[in-house]
Amino acid sequence: MTTRTDTLVIGAGAAGLFCALRWAEHGSVTLVEAGPDAGNPLPRWGLYDYVLPEAHYYRYTDSGTGQAIPQGRGLGGGSTVNSAAALRGQPWCYDGWQVPGWSWADCLEGFRAIESDQQYPDAAYHGADGLIPITRLEPGPLDAAVFDWCGTAGYPPADDHNAPGALGYGVWTTNRRDGGRWGTWAGVVPAARRAGVRICPDTAAGRLVFDGTRCTGADVTGPDGPERITAGRVIVCAGAYGSPALLMRSGIGPEPALARLGAEPVSVLPGVGANLMDHPWCLLDVDVTDPALIEARPVSGALLRYELDAARGEHVEAEIFPWQTRPYDLASPPTRVSFTAALMAPRSRGRFELTPAGPELHVGHLAADADAADMAEIVATTAELLESLAKDGLITIGEDAWWRPGGDLAAACRATVSSYHHHSGTCRMGDPGAPGTVVGPDLAVLGTSGLSVADSSVMPVIPRANTNLASMMIGFRSGDAIPA
Ligand SMILES: Cc1cc2nc3c(=O)[nH]c(=O)nc-3n(C[C@H](O)[C@H](O)[C@H](O)COP(=O)(O)OP(=O)(O)OC[C@H]3O[C@@H](n4cnc5c(N)ncnc54)[C@H](O)[C@@H]3O)c2cc1C
């Protein structure tokens, strides 16, 4: 069967749904999504649970460490399975991209357009009527104790973590309505349907179709079998792993990878799959002495952000925050709290490869010595906070806690580090003449026409923030960046 659409969007995640909505302003849009649509109205678990049915995940493995790497699948993509932490990143993140049209001033317009900020709708840098509600929840007792320590330690308060340049302590900014996660499934699907977007769940794009180097559509497989969808333009929004995988299967990528896959080269681009980035985190698990200390705010309470050695001028940003482990690991006791120490400006880079046997991920957390040293510093600061909370009788720390003094803390961090789930950068946007660039500032895939990528994979450098809002912003701004 063959169908025709003006714009074909592949992947209905954080970026893809905003992308489809914007392109509906210009004609017909078909949006294919490999995973399920769990229904409308949304089931309660879709809003409030942190362990979702298995159909909503891809399960990757880091080939270097054997660690599990989950990714979102189904309407909303990662924004359906995530924790709804909603940070934008700092102005210098986007200015540092040095890509025309993607400065902080440019991206801010996108951030404002997608949000309706519940506490600061009138601030010049916030939006009041976008589809994603941004809110700050009441802190619980453990959060209040963390704030006390932060104040005593000399960190400034930050009432709004999404104010440009905000650093310090305050409650998380989150994308929630009535306490439930409000990602692109809840927030954008209804608007996209009203705008006439044809949304096809359970439909995976196998490969892109070309006439020479012009992309003319994709071969997909859905509930009714194979279908060829021809399109005036194709926009790939399949995420940090799905997008490079689809490009490589379709003949766009490094020459050796295409040869291994037996894919006829359409555009040889060594950057596809390279530049893989993620924020590394180390978890310091403790127990509260009274479950009530954490159950008032199991997730999205206190957040401390600061820069390591600000004098270096490199904006090496850290996050420290507690969360109750049980919502994510149902076997955990209700007293268990994971304190996160996260490095938000990592230098380490990994790579994604596609082989005939399947995907290979080499994330490379803390591969750079400077990252390991920085992580040790963040963990040491987190440990100081924990010792203070223990002294006040709020938590207990295991005798054998991995971060306690006595060894090489950087090595201990390397042995413990895992993923904050912010995979990005595998189809890097940049100067078309620079090595490693996959898409230009207009999101067009180099060496092709009619084909763009618009999602977390185009980020040239990972922002100092959780990547959901930035991915939505990229999807939204694809409506401006790609010539209609
Ligand atoms: C467990 C977890 C927790 C997270 N927590 C947070 C958080 O609290 N805050 C935050 O800011 N960020 C968080 N993130 C990261 C954030 O969700 C992602 O950065 C964001 O979703 C990336 O958006 P995207 O559009 O690039 O990709 P995705 O949202 O992953 O969307 C890609 C979509 O494409 C589909 N797809 C892939 N291949 C194909 C194909 N061949 N055909 C059709 N469809 C395809 C996928 O099924 C998926 O739905 C988390 C991520 C995970 C996995």
Side-chain angles (χ1 to χ4, degrees):
M1 187 167 82
T2 301
T3 52
R4 162 93 207 158
T5 182
D6 293 331
T7 303
L8 172 62
V9 178
I10 298 174
L17 273 156
F18 270 113
C19 173
L21 180 66
R22 288 299 308 281
W23 280 93
E25 296 165 16
H26 299 287
S28 62
V29 178
T30 297
L31 171 58
V32 295
E33 165 54 49
D37 171 4
N40 192 3
L42 306 184
R44 192 181 157 80
W45 55 257
L47 301 176
Y48 292 96
D49 286 2
Y50 296 93
V51 179
L52 270 65
E54 200 46 34
H56 286 274
Y57 297 95
Y58 292 98
R59 300 288 182 188
Y60 294 104
T61 305
D62 184 332
S63 303
T65 63
Q67 288 184 359
I69 305 283
Q71 289 285 282
R73 183 173 177 273
L75 295 192
S79 81
T80 292
V81 302
N82 72 18
S83 298
L87 280 185
R88 294 165 159 182
Q90 304 285 14
W92 43 90
C93 298
Y94 301 93
D95 287 337
W97 284 2
Q98 299 189 336
V99 178
W102 295 90
S103 70
W104 167 245
D106 299 316
C107 293
L108 178 59
E109 288 316 304
F111 284 121
R112 291 185 65 236
I114 63 179
E115 74 172 8
S116 51
D117 193 285
Q118 305 297 292
Q119 284 81 31
Y120 301 103
D122 299 328
Y125 44 83
H126 277 308
D129 46 21
L131 294 171
I132 303 296
I134 302 295
T135 195
R136 296 143 193 88
L137 307 177
E138 282 299 313
L142 185 66
D143 304 313
V146 171
F147 291 156
D148 284 348
W149 179 86
C150 291
T152 307
Y155 298 101
D159 292 339
D160 176 10
H161 270 303
N162 274 340
L167 289 168
Y169 64 92
V171 283
W172 272 100
T173 40
T174 77
N175 51 293
R176 286 197 163 80
R177 173 161 293 161
D178 299 328
R181 180 198 300 109
W182 212 257
T184 51
W185 179 24
V188 185
V189 166
R193 288 209 166 107
R194 278 197 303 276
V197 174
R198 176 187 169 222
I199 301 180
C200 309
D202 298 310
T203 304
R207 67 182 62 225
L208 303 165
V209 177
F210 289 89
D211 178 1
T213 55
R214 173 157 194 87
C215 186
T216 57
D219 286 333
V220 309
T221 304
D224 299 326
E227 179 181 348
R228 173 159 293 187
I229 302 178
T230 62
R233 75 181 60 73
V234 177
I235 308 176
V236 178
C237 305
Y241 297 125
S243 290
L246 180 60
L247 293 190
M248 287 188 208
R249 285 199 301 273
S250 309
I252 301 167
E255 206 158 21
L258 303 185
R260 256 196 328 263
L261 292 166
E264 187 66 30
V266 173
S267 177
V268 172
L269 294 176
V272 177
N275 193 44
L276 171 58
M277 296 172 287
D278 184 25
H279 295 127
W281 77 7
C282 286
L283 300 180
L284 289 73
D285 285 357
V286 297
D287 286 286
V288 281
T289 48
D290 175 358
L293 285 167
I294 187 68
E295 281 182 340
R297 178 60 54 229
V299 294
S300 309
L303 169 63
L304 169 64
R305 296 158 77 203
Y306 65 98
E307 288 187 350
L308 304 187
D309 191 5
R312 272 193 280 165
E314 292 172 27
H315 297 298
V316 180
E317 194 169 314
E319 285 185 2
I320 295 176
F321 58 98
W323 44 279
Q324 191 187 29
T325 319
R326 188 148 79 156
Y328 302 87
D329 174 4
L330 306 176
S332 281
T335 51
R336 185 65 41 84
V337 175
S338 297
F339 273 82
T340 295
L343 174 61
M344 303 307 289
R347 297 99 167 155
S348 306
R349 297 290 180 266
R351 66 184 192 284
F352 167 83
E353 290 173 1
L354 189 64
T355 74
E360 270 188 24
L361 281 57
H362 302 267
V363 184
H365 291 130
L366 304 187
D369 289 343
D371 284 357
D374 284 345
M375 183 61 95
E377 196 178 327
I378 302 166
V379 167
T381 302
T382 312
E384 281 174 32
L385 161 64
L386 295 183
E387 294 297 338
S388 167
L389 296 175
K391 196 158 137 283
D392 292 344
L394 300 174
I395 62 166
T396 56
I397 306 173
E399 285 303 316
D400 57 350
W402 65 266
W403 60 89
R404 281 208 147 146
D408 176 347
L409 190 53
C413 289
R414 276 189 164 139
T416 311
V417 68
S418 56
S419 171
Y420 199 168
H421 307 308
H422 298 157
H423 308 268
S424 46
T426 46
C427 298
R428 178 190 185 129
M429 171 170 67
D431 178 346
T437 300
V438 175
V439 302
D442 58 359
L443 301 175
V445 176
L446 302 185
T448 71
S449 59
L451 177 64
S452 309
V453 181
D455 61 15
S456 54
S457 70
V458 306
M459 295 176 187
V461 180
I462 190 168
R464 294 163 181 77
N466 314 50
T467 43
N468 193 30
L469 277 190
S471 304
M472 293 183 189
M473 178 276 291
I474 290 168
F476 184 91
R477 295 201 69 237
S478 71
D480 304 317
I482 303 170

